[in-house]
Amino acid sequence: MRNYGTARRVMVTGGAGFLGSHLCERLLERGDDVLCVDNFYTGTKDNVAHLLNHPRFELMRHDVTFPLYVEVDEIYNLACPASPVHYQHDPVQTTKTSVHGAINMLGLAKRLKAKILQASTSEVYGDPQVHPQPEGYWGHVNPIGIRSCYDEGKRCAETLFFDYHRQHKLRIKVARIFNTYGPRMHPNDGRVVSNFIVQALKGEPITVYGEGAQTRSFCYVDDLVGGLIALMDSDDGFTGPVNLGNPGEFTILQLAQKVIELTGSKCTIVRQPLPSDDPMQRKPDLALATKALGWGPRTDLNEGLGKTIGYFAARLPSAAV
Ligand code: NAD
Ligand code: UDP
Ligand code: UDP
């Protein structure tokens, strides 16, 4: 039965994770009723602890690889470990989360005639041979490497989204998210921005993999969450896929130097082996996001790093710079 409140009922899978927790917060702020679904694989209750007493917030422990019967109007499907260290820890579970998770959430959306958004990734472009990457580029992905559980899982999820759209007329939205960082990344997340900041604040050597000449384009979390909501709210005729990220491109060595400068740390830089299939370059072409959503990032790397450093500095017990 339709509830009698006026609030839109929105489900966020992976809602206790880094991006998900910020998204839940923003949806509550604008008056939505939020159901956060998470199995706490890489997310934590701490990320949403401040929301638990909110009258329009509900937290449910559930693994999306199993069916889920709830009643909602919109679904943001973010459940999936995103850091290479964590998604490679149990690669079979990673593929199951992307593929079985997508099937279950699409089945749920189909029964409810709900709108559903998939948190896809720039990883669908693999180690790209086109630069910057527009949505029309089909990618350069190894199907059998150590990153494949994530990359191919996300690619298959996109396929499922478009087949449910074509076959069952489901209202879908697919966001291809580029490297995003900010407060509430876990200190042991393993991704580059949190690793470097935590290392610098602890005065430990910064671990640059390979020569550090590979590039990434880093988006601040608040900008990204705005993009996800703008996409969900866009006309039903617009499905994406659409790139969301920040086009400012930096080498990993430049990032290391920036973090040292902004923290004022005396730490050194050490080289570690480059993991296999590590993409050499990545930068979003944002023409579609600009045109279709009127969206673009606002926070530059210095500002975003400053806020993220402040977050970690307040939480690390031995922040000895
Ligand atoms: P994260 O690891 O912090 O969050 C993922 C959340 O999903 C965690 O709370 C985790 O516990 C939960 N989860 C994992 N498997 C689950 C399962 N089977 N059932 C229920 N919950 C499960 O990562 P994040 O950076 O917040 O990423 C969120 C989403 O955005 C992911 O789908 C990720 O692939 C996508 N994405 C993120 C980035 C980025 O740079 N942050 C880039 C591209 C795509
Ligand atoms: N599903 C779910 N919640 C629902 C409806 C469906 O978890 O409210 C799951 C269901 O377990 C099924 C999957 O979604 O395995 C796909 O559903 P769909 O109706 O597309 O396929 P079918 O049930 O016909 O296999
Ligand atoms: N990286 C690094 N040191 C670290 C963690 C990551 O040099 O401690 C590099 C990694 O090899 C990659 C880039 O930083 O080239 C981004 O890695 P991340 O795991 O954040 O995300 P990816 O974009 O590779 O999924």
Side-chain angles (χ1 to χ4, degrees):
M1 220 194 331
R2 185 76 175 81
N3 77 357
Y4 293 102
T6 49
R8 187 177 11 212
R9 300 162 306 173
V10 184
M11 178 167 93
V12 179
T13 75
F18 159 54
L19 290 183
S21 62
H22 287 273
L23 178 61
C24 288
E25 207 171 86
R26 284 277 276 280
L27 294 170
L28 286 170
E29 273 165 23
R30 74 169 196 175
D32 292 344
D33 201 304
V34 175
L35 172 61
C36 169
V37 171
D38 206 296
N39 70 348
F40 306 118
Y41 184 63
T42 49
T44 65
K45 280 187 197 159
D46 287 347
N47 283 340
V48 290
H50 61 299
L51 304 177
L52 288 176
N53 286 329
H54 195 293
R56 280 183 280 101
F57 182 76
E58 194 179 344
L59 176 62
M60 177 191 269
R61 181 194 290 264
H62 176 79
D63 182 330
V64 295
T65 62
F66 295 98
L68 176 64
Y69 287 81
V70 292
E71 314 302 315
V72 292
D73 303 310
E74 291 180 355
I75 301 166
Y76 288 84
N77 188 35
L78 270 62
C80 185
S83 163
V85 182
H86 295 290
Y87 72 62
Q88 288 167 20
H89 173 71
D90 186 350
V92 173
Q93 177 64 18
T94 299
T95 302
K96 282 185 187 171
T97 293
S98 276
V99 177
H100 292 181
I103 291 172
N104 287 327
M105 294 309 104
L106 286 161
L108 173 64
K110 184 181 122 193
R111 177 175 65 77
L112 299 171
K113 297 188 173 38
K115 198 164 24 166
I116 180 165
L117 180 148
Q118 168 68 357
S120 190
T121 168
S122 54
E123 291 286 331
V124 300
Y125 301 124
D127 190 5
Q129 293 170 319
V130 170
H131 194 72
Q133 294 79 52
E135 292 82 354
Y137 177 49
W138 289 356
H140 180 230
V141 179
N142 177 359
I144 57 166
I146 56 171
R147 293 176 82 97
S148 311
C149 59
Y150 184 75
D151 301 8
E152 297 289 21
K154 289 284 187 179
R155 285 169 68 97
C156 184
E158 285 200 12
T159 306
L160 285 161
F161 267 68
F162 276 85
D163 282 333
Y164 268 79
H165 174 64
R166 283 184 288 257
Q167 199 173 328
H168 299 300
K169 307 285 174 274
L170 213 64
R171 290 177 296 155
I172 62 155
K173 308 279 177 187
V174 175
R176 290 187 179 153
I177 303 169
F178 284 64
N179 298 65
T180 301
Y181 68 97
R184 289 200 208 121
M185 293 185 89
H186 195 276
N188 297 327
D189 178 278
R191 280 176 281 186
V192 69
V193 175
S194 47
N195 267 11
F196 285 6
I197 291 177
V198 170
Q199 289 162 345
L201 289 175
K202 288 183 171 172
E204 293 171 357
I206 287 195
T207 52
V208 167
Y209 301 162
E211 293 303 310
Q214 67 274 34
T215 70
R216 293 293 186 274
S217 304
F218 300 101
C219 186
Y220 188 63
V221 60
D222 289 354
D223 290 341
L224 196 280
V225 166
L228 291 178
I229 294 174
L231 174 58
M232 183 63 107
D233 289 349
S234 62
D235 290 346
D236 284 351
F238 184 71
T239 58
V242 60
N243 291 337
L244 297 178
N246 188 314
E249 185 184 9
F250 298 87
T251 68
I252 295 306
L253 197 55
Q254 283 173 328
L255 177 72
Q257 285 155 349
K258 238 179 212 308
V259 168
I260 290 175
E261 183 191 311
L262 291 171
T263 53
S265 174
K266 306 225 167 14
C267 66
T268 55
I269 292 179
V270 292
R271 301 293 158 96
Q272 289 190 1
L274 187 68
S276 67
D277 295 337
D278 200 293
M280 268 314 291
Q281 54 181 1
R282 195 181 282 152
K283 170 181 170 155
D285 179 332
L286 292 181
L288 181 61
T290 310
K291 183 163 168 277
L293 307 176
W295 175 87
R298 294 182 184 158
T299 315
D300 72 18
L301 189 58
N302 280 342
E303 185 187 348
L305 283 179
K307 291 181 182 175
T308 313
I309 289 167
Y311 168 84
F312 280 110
R315 277 157 188 82
L316 291 177
S318 56
V321 177

